Amino acid sequence: MEDKNIDFKQKLLEQVKELSESENVADLWRQANALKKKWRTNEEEESFFEKEMKEEFDACLDKIYAKAGVVSKSAEEAKAEIIAKAQELLNETNFKKASDKMNELMNDWKASGRTASKEKDDELWESFKGLRDQFYEKKNEYFAKLKENFAQSKATKEELIEKATQANETTDIKELTKAMTSLMDEWKKAGSAGKKDDDDLWDKFLAQRKVFYAKRKEYYDSMKEVFASRAAQKKDIITEARRLLACSEFTPEEVDAVKTLRNKWKEVGNAGKENDDKLWEEFNTIVNKYFTNKRESM
């Protein structure tokens, strides 16, 4: 029985020696305590030889504990640093980037090793876990609010698409242009409906804008002919005004004729901004000259 006990302790001594020389210090404390516990189960009525083995065993334990103490301190510092970084992440607003960082901190925590006691490990873990819970709660609240905003934006944009569709039913291009400009301003303020829906919504809204662009082009193309006709009529009026100015007999019939030209000018209507101002300046100058001459002739 005694030989068996010595053989058992000899194996424990070999294991503790090997452990004391190990460079893998991540779990030294736990392994050393396990060997120590096994030794104690066979510690009664030790022989002189066993006592010498015990001294050697204890010396190896001291060496292990010294090394493990450094590791324990390093683990505590590492975990404290991880906790500080987790605290900073609570201020992040880019949750995708922050989530990646939080996952990295979790990996760092797992690799940081154990501290000197389970109590300390538990204390540090509760601090880290509490910060993680706060972060994910904040993240979940953010995305819940974002989802709500997306839904509101989607509803708003669907309403704007319907309004644009209805606006395109009008034949008044000025009113249609005003409506489409206003709807575009509202669209910009509506915010994002989320990547899933935004492109589809924009395509539908853009389709209605293209209908508007086509109607506007058709209108202005037709107005070019109208403007050209009106410009020709106003040029004829200018020609007649020049003829009357050249005569300048200032008879009642002639004065009435000049005044009538003004009424005709108004009846013709707009000849387009490109032509109208220039034509009006020419016509008005002639008429003013006629009446100036009339006053001077009296």
Side-chain angles (χ1 to χ4, degrees):
M1 182 68 180
E2 185 178 341
D3 290 341
K4 187 177 180 180
N5 201 34
I6 291 175
D7 290 341
F8 177 74
K9 289 182 178 179
Q10 185 66 47
K11 288 180 181 179
L12 292 178
L13 180 58
E14 290 172 2
Q15 289 178 37
V16 80
K17 282 182 179 179
E18 183 179 350
L19 190 61
S20 69
E21 300 299 329
S22 174
E23 295 300 324
N24 183 12
V25 295
D27 203 24
L28 280 180
W29 202 292
R30 184 190 63 79
Q31 294 181 64
N33 283 340
L35 292 174
K36 185 177 180 180
K37 184 175 181 180
K38 289 180 180 180
W39 186 283
R40 285 178 176 174
T41 60
N42 294 273
E43 208 170 25
E44 295 182 2
E45 298 182 4
E46 288 184 328
S47 65
F48 178 78
F49 179 65
E50 286 176 294
K51 288 180 180 179
E52 286 186 336
M53 290 172 61
K54 178 66 164 60
E55 290 178 2
E56 190 173 358
F57 184 84
D58 287 343
C60 289
L61 284 178
D62 290 341
K63 184 177 180 180
I64 291 170
Y65 288 144
K67 189 183 295 186
V70 174
V71 174
S72 173
K73 182 179 179 182
S74 176
E76 185 172 341
E77 290 173 349
K79 289 181 176 181
E81 184 176 345
I82 292 170
I83 290 170
K85 289 180 179 179
Q87 181 71 53
E88 291 176 2
L89 286 182
L90 293 181
N91 299 320
E92 280 283 353
T93 54
N94 184 336
F95 283 97
K96 185 180 184 307
K97 183 179 179 181
S99 292
D100 291 339
K101 288 183 179 179
M102 187 60 82
N103 289 335
E104 290 176 9
L105 290 181
M106 186 71 251
N107 292 332
D108 292 343
W109 186 276
K110 292 175 181 178
S112 64
R114 294 176 178 273
T115 65
S117 67
K118 183 177 183 304
E119 289 75 13
K120 190 63 178 179
D121 274 333
D122 290 345
E123 178 189 336
L124 291 169
W125 168 249
E126 286 303 317
S127 295
F128 181 52
K129 181 178 180 299
L131 291 171
R132 278 172 56 82
D133 289 345
Q134 288 183 56
F135 171 77
Y136 285 113
E137 182 179 351
K138 185 178 178 182
K139 176 184 175 182
N140 291 337
E141 288 177 356
Y142 169 80
F143 281 107
K145 183 63 177 177
L146 190 63
K147 186 176 180 180
E148 182 182 328
N149 290 343
F150 283 166
Q152 180 60 51
S153 178
K154 181 180 179 181
T156 299
K157 288 183 174 181
E158 287 173 340
E159 185 179 349
L160 292 175
I161 291 168
E162 181 60 28
K163 287 182 178 179
T165 303
Q166 293 174 1
N168 273 326
E169 295 176 2
T170 184
T171 56
D172 188 327
I173 293 299
K174 289 184 177 180
E175 286 299 316
L176 178 56
T177 300
K178 182 180 178 181
M180 282 297 180
T181 300
S182 177
L183 290 173
M184 187 71 246
D185 290 339
E186 290 183 56
W187 186 276
K188 292 175 181 178
K189 296 175 183 177
S192 173
K195 187 172 180 61
K196 178 183 175 183
D197 295 309
D198 255 347
D199 290 345
D200 182 57
L201 290 166
W202 171 249
D203 287 343
K204 290 178 180 178
F205 186 64
L206 182 60
Q208 293 304 317
R209 287 182 64 79
K210 286 181 178 178
V211 171
F212 157 63
Y213 294 145
K215 292 183 72 171
R216 187 176 64 177
K217 182 178 184 303
E218 181 182 357
Y219 170 78
Y220 282 114
D221 285 346
S222 67
M223 287 305 295
K224 285 181 182 178
E225 297 180 8
V226 173
F227 288 157
S229 174
R230 290 175 179 175
Q233 292 178 62
K234 288 186 174 183
K235 286 178 182 177
D236 290 342
I237 293 173
I238 290 172
T239 298
E240 178 63 13
R242 286 187 185 281
R243 186 188 71 78
L244 292 171
L245 176 63
C247 291
S248 291
E249 294 177 357
F250 307 118
T251 64
E253 294 78 11
E254 187 182 75
V255 171
D256 286 343
V258 174
K259 290 179 179 180
T260 299
L261 288 180
R262 279 181 169 171
N263 293 330
K264 284 184 177 181
W265 187 276
K266 293 177 182 178
E267 291 171 0
V268 170
N270 184 15
K273 188 169 181 62
E274 183 179 347
N275 297 314
D276 223 35
D277 291 346
K278 183 179 179 182
L279 291 170
W280 168 251
E281 183 179 355
E282 186 177 357
F283 172 68
N284 196 46
T285 299
I286 294 169
V287 172
N288 287 340
K289 178 66 174 173
Y290 177 85
F291 284 106
T292 298
N293 291 346
K294 179 178 179 296
R295 286 194 299 273
E296 291 176 352
S297 68
M298 294 175 67

